[in-house]
Amino acid sequence: RFSHAELRYSGNDTIGDGGFGKVYVGECEDQAAAFKESKLRQHDQVTQVLRIFRELRQEAQVLKEVAMCNTSSVSHRSSFFARCFGLCLRPLVLVSEFAQHKSLNLLLHDHHDDLSRLYLVTVAMEIITGIKVLHSMNVVWRDMKPGNILVFHTDLQGDR
């Protein structure tokens, strides 16, 4: 867990916005991090606040479990999932590893002519493997789309 004072990000550094809230880039433990801040408002009902808290806690738990995952089909999780650094309760924020190349959607939009067929097949296989890991944990990713797939490397020899 993190306290609000430990969070180092600015509301001016927005890298994403969705139904859950906004995502900012900042720093955590001397490395780039993504801060997913929920859209809680003071007038939200207690049941709504609890639901959002449960969803964020569950996401953090899944990311932490995936970090420990070592199945016979997937021997290294780091190729498929962002690491979760922790949660802050006030404001309600999930802190995770920052994807330097942002999303698959942006990569396809900005570099579509530069991507080889082999790279695209490799990305597709990584997505399939990641989904397989989630399904083995009885997790269904309901909002899978290119904008929600993070890209950590753009070359086939990369370490991530």
Side-chain angles (χ1 to χ4, degrees), residues 7-27:
L7 301 181
R8 294 192 307 261
Y9 70 97
S10 165
N12 298 326
D13 297 326
T14 305
I15 57 172
D17 192 357
F20 185 87
K22 291 189 177 193
V23 181
Y24 305 96
V25 65
E27 193 173 291

Side-chain angles (χ1 to χ4, degrees), residues 73-135:
S73 62
V74 181
S75 60
H76 58 285
R77 74 96 210 153
S78 62
S79 295
F80 307 108
F81 299 97
R83 286 177 297 163
C84 178
F85 296 130
L87 284 173
C88 176
L89 299 179
R90 288 189 182 191
L92 190 51
V93 177
L94 173 71
V95 184
S96 65
E97 182 177 15
F98 175 67
Q100 153 184 355
H101 298 287
K102 303 205 171 71
S103 71
L104 180 59
N105 190 51
L106 287 173
L107 180 70
L108 293 172
H109 181 267
D110 295 344
H111 301 284
H112 59 88
D113 293 334
D114 304 328
L115 301 173
S116 71
R117 183 170 289 180
L118 179 59
Y119 177 78
L120 294 173
V121 168
T122 301
V123 168
M125 294 303 294
E126 287 186 356
I127 292 168
I128 291 167
T129 303
I131 297 280
K132 188 175 177 181
V133 169
L134 291 175
H135 287 184

Side-chain angles (χ1 to χ4, degrees), residues 19-22 37-53 56 88-93:
F20 185 87
K22 291 189 177 193
E37 186 175 284
S38 67
K39 286 184 181 177
L40 289 177
R41 296 173 197 87
Q42 285 186 326
H43 65 278
D44 285 345
Q45 298 291 326
V46 172
T47 54
Q48 185 177 4
V49 172
L50 288 173
R51 180 186 56 79
I52 291 170
F53 171 72
L56 200 59
C88 176
L89 299 179
R90 288 189 182 191
L92 190 51
V93 177

